[in-house]
Amino acid sequence: MKKDSLSKAALAVAFLGLAVWGGLPLYRHRHRGVPVVKGPGVTAVLRLSEFSPGLKGTAGDTFVFVLQGKAPGGKALLMGNTHANEPEGMLAALIFIENAVVEKGTLYVIPFFNNSASRNTRPGDGYPLYFDIATDWGACRFRYGNRDASPLDQWPDPDVYIHYPERQLLSYIDVRNTNRTWPGRPDGPLMERVTFGAMELMRRESVDLAIDIHGAETMFPVTNCIVAPEKSVKIATLASLTVKAMEGFENHVEPSPAGFRGLSHREIGDHGPSLPFLLEAPIPFLDQPTGPKTTKLLLDGKDPFLLSLSRKKKLFVPYDEDGWPLEKRVGQNLSVALEIFRQFSKKSAGRPIAVRGVPRYADAVKDGVGRFLADPAKAAPGGVIMN
Amino acid sequence: MIMIAYYAITAFLLFLVGWNFVREKERRQDLVLYLLVMIPLLLRLLRWK
């Protein structure tokens, strides 16, 4: 009897040890901070909970960087990491925060829109926990997150997610997907409170433009594009044509389907004053038929299986031995966002948005993304926000 | 309300598996399986993050 109890206790302790050993890297990933240097244009740093009090003290709360220009003008909201496994959005947002100087108008930038998802991972798909960007001052390490918020922060999932307010039935997992929970509500599930916060920001501050930056598989038809509803489509088309003519890269326009609810490019425009745009850059890492999900694949986008599929014309974007590197993805997000500002300013003379200091596509491709990330060690006291 | 119900279900399942673990006398592989099943239930119940 005693021997039996002892062996059971030993077994239980061994299992507990295994659980701790396996859980520690995930714990460290979840609690690791990413430094965000307040650039020359940052005038205030807010929390999203100021617009959605239900987020206070939760992992859904996130930083909102305000870049207010000296001259009045239009207002734009930039969101990265709506899906935290599509880092080109977060990096483009960081480059705006750390480099942009707004001359006219105001920018609101949320680099970690789904903060909980950026602290989640997908071990079943072999996702790396981190990726490093080479910079002039050394490697800058970022958390690599997941598409959906962590179940540690929002649980349990329903059998079917009933979208609010349209009551459309969506997949259960979409209750944790901040690109299905728009427009949100103040007392809904955590991710609805996140999107509600952004909606409130746009409504209270009369934001003109909302740009939600994503990445999409090369085998997915809605990739390498700007998704826009009817009210944004003119500006999106002009931006698309201009970047193709002036900067030499494709970024076509896709219409936002009116019958598919919960997406930013649909609900932001239907429930608030802003013109929504969703940017999709091709990210080979997310495709299913690739080799191992390594940080190399995430950064350079080179994969022999995708190359073979490209030769069979199975991809929706041009793909060759050069892959689809991060620099291209981030660069096109930067250029398209700047072009949307410019086209909006031309059409709305009373509300211009003028930004300088942000690199464009050619700069990012030539110099790399790391060239435009600021060194936290050289920041002024209080100039670094840990997210 | 739903969350409370799910936590109650988790606690009940943990109790059942734990009770089986205590009662099991012979099959070692079953003991290992019980422990495996208990890990996520325990983590959820204790809200370890």
Side-chain angles (χ1 to χ4, degrees), chain A residues 8-297:
Chain A
K8 275 184 186 173
L11 203 58
V13 169
F15 259 79
L16 204 60
L18 270 176
V20 170
W21 182 60
L24 266 179
L26 301 175
Y27 178 89
R28 287 196 199 104
H29 172 260
R30 182 175 164 81
H31 293 89
R32 184 188 175 93
V34 172
V36 182
V37 178
K38 287 197 270 181
V42 175
T43 51
V45 182
L46 311 174
R47 302 290 300 221
L48 200 58
S49 55
E50 292 175 36
F51 302 92
S52 178
L55 291 175
K56 215 167 211 126
T58 72
D61 202 1
T62 190
F63 289 105
V64 182
F65 294 80
V66 185
L67 291 80
Q68 188 169 12
K70 286 197 178 100
K75 296 179 177 179
L77 169 64
L78 272 178
M79 292 167 280
N81 255 14
T82 294
H83 293 150
N85 57 347
E86 299 161 10
E88 35 285 300
M90 177 267 293
L91 291 166
L94 285 188
I95 288 175
F96 264 94
I97 292 165
E98 297 184 352
N99 297 272
V101 175
V102 179
E103 291 177 332
K104 291 177 189 167
T106 305
L107 287 187
Y108 298 90
V109 188
I110 307 179
F112 297 91
F113 186 64
N114 192 339
N115 184 47
S116 168
S118 80
R119 299 169 189 281
N120 191 13
T121 182
R122 202 181 297 182
D125 276 13
Y127 271 24
L129 292 176
Y130 308 98
F131 63 96
D132 294 322
I133 302 284
T135 72
D136 297 340
W137 42 270
C140 188
R141 174 156 283 200
F142 295 93
R143 295 185 304 270
Y144 187 60
N146 195 6
R147 181 179 172 88
D148 311 297
S150 171
L152 295 173
D153 302 315
Q154 183 180 309
W155 186 84
D157 295 331
D159 291 335
V160 173
Y161 172 44
I162 303 170
H163 174 258
Y164 174 84
E166 302 290 339
R167 301 196 63 77
Q168 186 172 60
L169 302 185
L170 300 172
S171 164
Y172 77 97
I173 195 83
D174 285 333
V175 74
R176 286 189 275 122
N177 175 353
T178 41
N179 201 25
R180 296 295 182 277
T181 58
W182 295 91
R185 51 190 152 175
D187 53 356
L190 190 62
M191 293 305 110
E192 284 193 2
R193 284 178 260 159
V194 171
T195 49
F196 176 79
M199 285 303 309
E200 275 297 282
L201 188 160
M202 287 182 264
R203 287 188 283 247
R204 285 188 211 170
E205 303 294 328
S206 300
V207 171
D208 300 286
L209 305 171
I211 303 178
D212 184 15
I213 313 178
H214 287 249
E217 298 88 337
T218 61
M219 294 185 78
F220 185 56
V222 186
T223 191
N224 203 28
C225 62
I226 310 168
V227 188
E230 305 77 10
K231 68 194 280 192
S232 314
V233 81
K234 268 190 185 168
I235 290 173
T237 306
L238 287 167
S240 166
L241 292 171
T242 309
V243 293
K244 186 176 181 185
M246 306 297 289
E247 302 188 49
F249 67 87
E250 286 277 352
N251 207 239
H252 69 280
V253 177
E254 286 279 346
S256 163
F260 189 3
R261 309 308 307 193
L263 294 111
S264 63
H265 53 72
R266 170 52 47 195
E267 307 292 353
I268 287 175
D270 287 2
H271 294 271
S274 314
L275 301 177
F277 303 85
L278 186 147
L279 313 189
E280 293 278 20
I283 168 169
F285 184 93
L286 295 185
D287 280 291
Q288 287 305 320
T290 66
K293 301 290 188 194
T294 59
T295 49
K296 183 179 177 304
L297 174 61

